[in-house]
Amino acid sequence: MEKSKRKVAAFDFDGTLTLHDSLPRFIRFVHGPRAYYQGLLMLSPVLIAYKLGLLSNSRAKERLFSYFFKGIPEFAFQELGRQFATEIEKDVRPDVLAALRQRKAEGCRVYVVSASIEDWVAPWCLAAGADEVLATRAEIGPDKRLTGRFSTANCYGAEKVKRLLEREPERDSYELYAYGDSRGDKELLALADHPKFVEN
C-alpha cells in the first residue's frame, strides 16, 4: 500500500484570515486616523500611479510603508506589532480561523503566507496556531532603525509560491491545502491540491 502523503496548509492573511487589509489598520493603530489620512493625501500621486498601472504593487506599498515607518527603532516596531494582535482579533473571519485550526488538528504543517509585514502578522498568527509565518520583512539599518525599505521581495503573487517552496521544496511529498481571497493568491491557489477561494 502506498504511504499516505503528509499534509501542508497555506493561508493568506489579509482578506482571508481577516476581513480587511491589515496595513491601513496598522498605520491607524500606530499614528491615529488624522495622520493616516494626511499621509494618504501626501502620497496621492503614488496611489494614483498605482491605480493607473504605472507603479507596481510592491513599489507603491514600499513607498507607503516608508512614509509612515521609516526611522522607527526596530524594538519599538516589533512591540507595536505584538500590541496590534488585539486589533487583529477584532477583524478575524471565524470560519477561516476554524479551518486553520482544523487543518492543524489533522496534522497539517500550517503556514501563513502574507504580503503584510512579518512584525505585525506573526504574533497573532503564531498564537492562533500557525507553525510558521512567511511574510514581507522590513529592512533594518545599522542603527537598528527601519530604513523604509523591504529586506525581502514583497510576498505577493508568485513570491508566495517561491517562499513556500523554499520551506517545502519536495512538492510531490505532500498534499497542499491553500486558502486565499485575491489575485495576489492566484499562484498559490494554482499550486494547491485543494484550493479554497474565500469570498469577500
Side-chain angles (χ1 to χ4, degrees), residues 7 12 22 36 43 63 76 105 115 155 161 173-174 176 179 195 200:
K7 293 179 171 58
D12 169 55
S22 62
Y36 169 69
L43 291 164
R63 294 279 294 277
C155 194
V161 170
S173 71
Y174 57 90
L176 178 62
Y179 296 75
N200 288 310

Side-chain angles (χ1 to χ4, degrees), residues 7-22:
K7 293 179 171 58
V8 172
F11 288 79
D12 169 55
F13 182 72
D14 296 285
T16 300
L17 276 163
T18 64
L19 292 164
H20 305 98
D21 184 0
S22 62

Side-chain angles (χ1 to χ4, degrees), residues 13-132:
F13 182 72
D14 296 285
T16 300
L17 276 163
T18 64
L19 292 164
H20 305 98
D21 184 0
S22 62
L23 175 57
R25 290 176 66 87
F26 186 68
I27 294 170
R28 290 195 296 269
F29 175 76
V30 173
H31 295 288
R34 183 174 180 178
Y36 169 69
Y37 289 111
Q38 286 176 338
L40 292 188
L41 183 62
M42 293 292 293
L43 291 164
S44 57
V46 173
L47 301 176
I48 291 168
Y50 168 64
K51 289 292 186 183
L52 293 175
L54 303 175
L55 197 64
S56 70
N57 174 283
S58 297
R59 289 295 301 140
K61 179 178 168 184
E62 194 171 49
R63 294 279 294 277
L64 184 71
F65 180 80
S66 180
Y67 178 89
F68 285 105
F69 299 114
K70 181 179 180 180
I72 292 181
E74 179 184 19
F75 75 89
F77 188 69
Q78 290 173 341
E79 179 57 28
L80 287 166
R82 287 189 286 271
Q83 293 173 8
F84 186 61
T86 58
E87 294 298 309
I88 292 172
E89 195 64 36
K90 302 172 188 176
D91 199 44
V92 170
R93 288 181 181 271
D95 57 332
V96 182
L97 177 57
L100 184 153
R101 288 175 171 163
Q102 179 185 346
R103 296 294 166 220
K104 178 80 172 177
E106 292 169 350
C108 285
R109 173 80 178 172
V110 175
Y111 294 88
V112 173
V113 190
S114 176
S116 283
I117 304 300
E118 185 178 280
D119 299 85
W120 74 70
V121 174
W124 181 86
C125 291
L126 296 175
D131 292 295
E132 191 169 346

Side-chain angles (χ1 to χ4, degrees), residues 132-179:
E132 191 169 346
V133 174
L134 309 175
T136 307
R137 292 177 183 158
E139 183 182 77
I140 308 300
D143 59 355
K144 300 299 181 182
R145 292 176 179 270
L146 275 66
T147 66
R149 297 185 295 270
F150 301 149
S151 66
T152 63
N154 186 33
C155 194
Y156 177 91
E159 183 65 20
K160 291 192 173 192
V161 170
K162 179 183 175 185
R163 294 285 296 278
L164 181 63
L165 291 178
E166 284 174 354
R167 301 296 295 128
E168 298 284 353
E170 297 179 4
R171 181 62 189 87
D172 292 338
S173 71
Y174 57 90
E175 206 173 336
L176 178 62
Y177 296 80
Y179 296 75

